């Protein structure tokens, strides 16, 4: 049986994506994915993410004349392939657009981000009857790798030491992810639980972004309309926590790491020839970069074609 609404996180998502350089979802390397589009064998599509971050905050998180507003956008080619009933792979090729502005200056950069590949194994898929309803659940375990294809500028870190090392197109490091995704569904009402752990390595400039744990739970309901269309609204919570970055194998970066919690609302719309979806993440709690950074709400849109 194919469970098409399994959520798999890579930075996601980053979401994610969707991540300390990607400080709790902002910056590069966000692997929050959200609910996957419906597909039987393969799909390919485009995904757009928009995130905001304030840096150069005061010691208590207050806005100062030096405070900088940063915007991170990415347009991503992504796809999935069910190699068999037990194995599937996902791939992500992002193109990033970064902007920042303050009272004193402004800047922008855009270019290819870090390409990522993830593989998953279906530990089990089971279904049974419960009060005349279909009860189905599945568990996927996976691992992934991120290649250092995006441009990293060490001068960003050297020039400004009191702000997160976020304003990069890539990390210049090869990083790894471990993932678990559990889906349980009673007829058309379902819940997805996900865990993603990102393991970062030091880049050639002796900078290592902090490892990050991302967990989320989403509840969804599938409305089947006109025998041709499936509409699935969903809602849940996303929690992210990141260790501090490390320089020269031993020095912790004070303005890094932290944690945040977000409420997630979204929808998925599927027809036989295409799928589209969106989700909005409202941050309800955060403490980032020793209170020197504050993340804004985030948006993700996608469209995909199964084949």
């Amino acid at each position: 049986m194919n469970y098409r609404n399994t959520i798999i996180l890579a930075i996601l998502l980053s979401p994610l994506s969707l991540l300390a350089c990607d400080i709790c979802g902002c910056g590069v390397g966000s692997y929050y994915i959200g609910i996957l589009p419906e597909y039987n064998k393969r799909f390919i599509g485009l995904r757009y993410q928009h995130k905001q971050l304030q840096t150069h905050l005061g010691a208590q998180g207050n806005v100062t004349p030096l405070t900088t507003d940063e915007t991170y956008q990415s347009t991503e080619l992504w796809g999935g392939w069910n190699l068999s009933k037990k194995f599937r792979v996902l791939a992500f090729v992002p193109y990033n657009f970064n902007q920042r502005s303050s009272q004193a200056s402004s800047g922008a950069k855009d270019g290819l981000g870090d390409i990522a590949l993830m593989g998953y194994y279906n530990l089990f898929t089971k279904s049974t009857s419960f009060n005349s309803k279909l009860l189905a659940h599945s568990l996927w375990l996976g691992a992934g790798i991120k290649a250092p294809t995006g441009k990293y500028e060490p001068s960003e870190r050297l020039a400004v030491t009191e702000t997160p090392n976020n304003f990069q197109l890539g990390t210049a490091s090869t990083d790894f992810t471990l993932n678990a995704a559990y889906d349980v569904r009673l007829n058309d009402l379902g819940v997805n639980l996900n865990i993603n752990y990102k393991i970062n390595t030091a880049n050639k400039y002796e900078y290592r972004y902090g490892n990050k744990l991302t967990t989320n739970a989403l509840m969804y309901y599938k409305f089947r309309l006109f025998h041709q269309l499936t509409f699935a609204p969903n809602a849940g919570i996303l929690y992210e926590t990141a260790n501090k970055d490390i320089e020269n194998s031993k020095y912790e970066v004070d303005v890094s790491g932290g944690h945040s919690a977000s409420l997630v609302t979204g929808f998925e719309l599927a027809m036989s020839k295409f799928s589209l979806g969106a989700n909005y993440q409202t941050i309800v709690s955060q403490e980032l970069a020793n209170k020197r950074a504050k993340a804004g709400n985030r948006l993700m849109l996608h469209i995909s074609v199964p084949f």
Side-chain angles (χ1 to χ4, degrees), residues 69-228:
D69 294 313
E70 300 178 1
T71 300
Y72 297 89
Q73 300 178 83
S74 68
T75 299
E76 190 172 55
L77 178 68
W78 71 317
W81 189 358
N82 289 330
L83 301 175
S84 68
K85 292 183 178 180
K86 287 291 187 180
F87 293 97
R88 69 168 37 148
V89 294
L90 296 174
F92 308 84
V93 183
Y95 193 92
N96 298 327
F97 303 84
N98 300 347
Q99 293 180 307
R100 64 182 172 191
S101 63
S102 67
Q103 293 183 13
S105 64
S106 62
K109 61 178 66 172
D110 61 82
L112 179 68
D114 288 341
I115 295 173
L117 181 69
M118 299 180 180
Y120 295 88
Y121 174 75
N122 180 224
L123 192 63
F124 67 80
T125 294
K126 297 180 179 179
S127 60
T128 187
S129 177
F130 180 78
N131 289 340
S132 300
K133 297 180 179 180
L134 176 66
L135 176 65
H137 62 141
S138 62
L139 176 63
W140 293 80
L141 302 178
I145 185 170
K146 180 187 71 63
T149 52
K151 184 178 181 181
Y152 176 90
E153 298 180 82
S155 59
E156 285 283 349
R157 174 61 189 157
L158 296 176
V160 184
T161 58
E162 68 272 13
T163 189
N165 187 15
N166 250 43
F167 204 71
Q168 305 281 3
L169 297 173
T171 66
S173 60
T174 300
D175 306 322
F176 305 92
T177 59
L178 299 174
N179 317 283
Y182 176 71
D183 183 88
V184 58
R185 179 167 54 88
L186 184 63
N187 276 7
D188 291 328
L189 176 65
V191 174
N192 282 280
L193 305 174
N194 295 268
I195 298 175
N196 173 282
Y197 188 67
K198 185 166 179 279
I199 304 166
N200 297 312
T201 67
N203 61 29
K204 63 182 180 181
Y205 305 103
E206 298 188 79
Y207 194 93
R208 181 170 68 83
Y209 290 101
N211 295 345
K212 182 180 177 183
L213 175 70
T214 302
T215 61
N216 85 301
L218 284 181
M219 177 177 289
Y220 64 86
Y221 190 89
K222 296 196 292 186
F223 295 93
R224 305 179 189 277
L225 309 173
F226 313 115
H227 305 288
Q228 298 181 20

Side-chain angles (χ1 to χ4, degrees), residues 227-302:
H227 305 288
Q228 298 181 20
L229 184 149
T230 300
F231 177 69
N234 56 79
I237 189 166
L238 168 68
Y239 178 76
E240 302 167 287
T241 181
N243 296 335
K244 289 187 178 296
D245 301 353
I246 301 293
E247 285 188 295
N248 300 316
S249 302
K250 57 182 176 180
Y251 300 112
E252 282 192 349
V253 178
D254 189 48
V255 285
S256 65
H259 57 84
S260 71
S262 305
L263 297 179
V264 182
T265 56
F267 73 89
E268 298 296 316
L269 184 65
M271 298 183 69
S272 60
K273 296 188 181 299
F274 76 95
S275 297
L276 60 87
N279 75 62
Y280 190 76
Q281 301 168 28
T282 304
I283 294 186
V284 294
S285 175
Q286 62 179 296
E287 186 174 317
L288 307 176
N290 201 21
K291 297 184 179 179
R292 295 302 181 96
K294 183 178 180 181
N297 299 337
R298 293 169 281 188
L299 172 71
M300 184 173 72
L301 309 171
H302 77 81

